[in-house]
Amino acid sequence: MDKSRLPRALTPAVPAVPAVPAGPVRAARAVRGPAPVLAAAVLLGGALTAAGPTAQAAAPQAPTAAPAPGCSAPYRISQKLAGGTTWRMCWHYDSSAGLVLDNVTYQPKGEPRPIQVLASAKLAQVHVPYDNGQAEYDDLTGFGFGYGLQDLGPTECPGGTVKTVKVPDAGRVKGLCTTTRSRGHAYRMASDDGAKVWQERGTDLLLYTVNKVSWYEYITEWRFASDGTISANVGATGSLSPGDYDAGDGRGWPIGKGAKDYAASHSHNVFWRLNFGLDGGVRDRIEQYDSEVTPPPANGSPTTRTTRTPVTKELAGDARTMRWWRVVSARGKNKDGHQRSYEIVPGPSAPHAGRPFTKHDIYVTQNRACEQFASNNILNCGQDAPDSVDAWVNGETLSHPVVWVNIGFHHIARDEDQQPMPVHWQGFQLAPRDVTAMNPLTPADLVGQNGAPPQGS
C-alpha cells in the first residue's frame, strides 16, 4: 500500500506524543558494546531431571493479593468464564499504540485471590517495508495508527459490549468490543472402561479494536482463556492499495485480468511490549530452554537432553526448534510449591532481515519508561539515544525485565486478496506453566489425583 499517494486526510499529519507510564524518564543508556544474542552453543544450564529444573532464587515471598485495579469503572473489565475462571484488567487508549491493557489478573476457581500476570501489554510497532525498497512505514508512530480507530456496529460484537473510546484529537469512538467466544474442547478424557467421559468446552474473554491505516485495517485482538492462556493477535484486512498496481518493480504478483497489474509485495513486522509483573512484583526472571535430540545407537532409542539457561542480561533471542522461554515469578508459588511462570509461545513467523530490530524473535530489555516502541520510538530517551529495541539490548543486567515479541509476515498478494482482503493473522500465546497445581478446569471428582493418577486413565 503506497501511502505516499493517498490523501493525507486519512491520518493526522503529526501524531501526538503518547502517554507513558507514571515515573521519571531516565537518561539515555550508555553504550556497552554489541547486543548479546543467546545461542544454544553457549547454554550454561544443566540437564533437567524428571522432577524438573532446580529453582535458582531466594525463597519467594508468600503470594499476595494482586493490586486493586487503578482505573475507574468505565475502564475496568471483569469477566467470569464458564469453568469458574475470572479475568480482570484495566484498559486505556494511547494515541500511537492504540489499546493498552493494565493490571491483568487471572483467578481460576479454587484460588483465594487474583494472580497478577501482566502489569501492561500493548502493540509496540507495525513495521511495513516494501520488497522494492521504495517504501517503508512504522504504522504506529509514523502513520497515525491510534487516530484511525473505527466505530464498531453491534453486529461486530455479538453477545458483548462496545465501549466508547476517547481518541485524542478525534473524539469519542465506539471502538472497543468486549465479549466471550467458545473455543471448542478445553479437555476430554474417557475412563478405560468407557463408563465415563470428562469433557468441557473452553471459553475466552475476547477484546478487540480495529484501526484503519491508509488502505489497511488492523484488528488488534486479545483473548483470555478459561485455562489461563493469553493469546495476542493482529489481523490485517481492508484493501490492497490500488496505487501499488504498477508492475514497476518486477517483484509483485499479478492481480486482475492477465498479467498487466501487479500488487507490490511487502512485510508486516508486528511487535508487542509485555511488562509482566507476575504476582504484583517487578523482579521476574527469564529462562531459556533448549532440547537436543541424539540419534539412537544400534538397536536403541533416541535420547533428548534439555538445558536451562537463566537470562540475566538483556537478550536478543531467536526462536528455534525445541527452544522456548518462560517468565518466572519472583514472589508467587502454586499450591504444590512450584514457582509460577508463563511460557512465551510464538506463532508462525517470517523474520525480516532488512533492519536490525526485525532480525530477532524475542527481545528482553530492562524496563525504562521512555522505551515504548520497537522502532521509531518517538519518546525522548536523551540526546543521541537509539530509537529501536535492538540497540537497547546492550548487556545491562535485568532487574525489571520487559519482553518484546516480534512476529513477521511476508505478504505476497493473490487474487483472493480483493475485494475486500481476507484477514491474515500474526500473533503469539502466553501459556501458564505451574500457575496452578492442576488444570484450573479439573472436575471435582478428579481433584484428588494431583501427582498420583490411577493406573490407566
Side-chain angles (χ1 to χ4, degrees):
M1 54 180 172
D2 186 351
K3 301 179 183 108
S4 64
R5 305 177 189 177
L6 300 178
R8 298 299 295 178
L10 284 174
T11 55
V14 182
V17 175
V20 299
V25 175
R26 302 184 184 182
R29 294 169 177 265
V31 177
R32 300 175 186 154
V37 179
L38 195 62
V42 296
L43 287 173
L44 303 176
L48 297 182
T49 66
T54 302
Q56 292 188 349
Q61 304 170 12
T64 57
C71 56
S72 58
Y75 298 95
R76 191 177 303 149
I77 296 171
S78 179
Q79 180 67 56
K80 187 171 185 178
L81 301 172
T85 293
T86 299
W87 286 96
R88 300 177 181 89
M89 65 200 70
C90 294
W91 66 275
H92 70 273
Y93 195 80
D94 182 279
S95 59
S96 291
L99 178 65
V100 182
L101 303 180
D102 302 298
N103 298 327
V104 178
T105 68
Y106 159 55
Q107 188 174 10
K109 66 181 180 182
E111 289 292 330
R113 56 184 64 87
I115 301 165
Q116 180 166 297
V117 179
L118 292 161
S120 67
K122 66 174 185 177
L123 275 180
Q125 194 55 271
V126 179
H127 170 251
V128 187
Y130 276 66
D131 286 16
N132 59 13
Q134 297 178 12
E136 182 177 3
Y137 305 103
D138 291 302
D139 278 350
L140 265 63
T141 55
F143 223 83
F145 175 94
Y147 296 95
L149 184 68
Q150 301 293 288
D151 276 302
L152 300 175
T155 59
E156 292 191 80
C157 190
T161 300
V162 179
K163 293 180 175 289
T164 298
V165 181
K166 296 178 182 178
V167 181
D169 299 327
R172 299 169 68 86
V173 179
K174 294 185 71 64
L176 171 59
C177 171
T178 66
T179 188
T180 58
R181 293 277 176 87
S182 173
R183 58 181 172 85
H185 275 93
Y187 63 79
R188 186 188 189 280
M189 185 179 78
S191 61
D192 281 348
D193 59 10
K196 187 165 185 176
V197 173
W198 294 271
Q199 67 87 28
E200 185 168 325
R201 311 294 287 182
T203 56
D204 295 347
L205 165 63
L206 168 63
L207 314 178
Y208 82 89
T209 58
V210 179
N211 291 73
K212 185 174 177 63
V213 180
S214 187
W215 298 97
Y216 266 97
E217 298 189 16
Y218 293 110
I219 304 172
T220 304
E221 177 185 278
W222 293 90
R223 289 177 180 259
F224 301 89
S226 51
D227 65 3
T229 302
I230 299 173
S231 301
N233 295 286
V234 166
T237 183
S239 178
L240 294 170
S241 168
D244 290 330
Y245 286 29
D246 57 12
D249 65 4
R251 292 177 170 83
W253 195 268
I255 299 293
K257 299 290 185 181
K260 176 183 178 182
D261 297 321
Y262 283 69
S265 301
H266 53 278
S267 290
H268 293 260
N269 303 307
V270 180
F271 291 82
W272 290 260
R273 185 183 191 273
L274 307 170
N275 182 7
F276 278 82
L278 289 169
D279 291 295
V282 298
R283 302 184 70 86
D284 299 325
R285 302 196 320 277
I286 311 295
E287 296 176 347
Q288 176 176 306
Y289 290 78
D290 288 270
S291 298
E292 182 178 358
V293 179
T294 300
N299 301 318
S301 296
T303 59
T304 302
R305 182 177 184 268
T306 297
T307 56
R308 172 174 56 92
T309 303
V311 179
T312 59
K313 295 184 181 297
E314 293 177 315
L315 165 72
D318 298 313
R320 295 180 182 175
T321 301
M322 300 183 80
R323 169 178 288 177
W324 53 279
W325 296 269
R326 71 167 183 158
V327 182
V328 186
S329 174
R331 302 183 67 178
K333 293 182 178 181
N334 67 19
K335 293 176 182 179
D336 283 346
H338 302 151
Q339 287 180 297
R340 293 189 178 115
S341 70
Y342 261 82
E343 180 180 339
I344 301 165
V345 186
S349 183
H352 187 277
R355 293 290 183 185
F357 58 85
T358 61
K359 290 182 178 180
H360 302 292
D361 304 294
I362 298 286
Y363 295 90
V364 183
T365 64
Q366 178 69 2
N367 184 46
R368 295 186 185 274
C370 68
E371 295 173 354
Q372 296 290 318
F373 298 94
S375 65
N376 191 21
N377 183 55
I378 57 178
L379 302 185
N380 181 14
C381 289
Q383 186 176 5
D384 299 324
D387 70 347
S388 59
V389 66
D390 60 295
W392 300 333
V393 179
N394 59 17
E396 188 170 357
T397 298
L398 295 167
S399 60
H400 182 174
V402 168
V403 176
W404 308 72
V405 180
N406 170 31
I407 302 293
F409 174 75
H410 188 210
H411 188 186
I412 298 177
R414 54 183 179 152
D415 279 339
E416 289 87 352
D417 281 339
Q418 52 167 3
Q419 177 83 306
M421 181 169 58
V423 182
H424 57 80
W425 292 100
Q426 298 163 249
F428 66 98
Q429 287 189 328
L430 301 174
R433 178 171 282 276
D434 305 336
V435 174
T436 52
M438 296 184 73
N439 183 339
L441 304 177
T442 296
D445 54 347
L446 297 180
V447 295
Q449 296 186 17
N450 181 23
Q455 294 300 312
S457 56

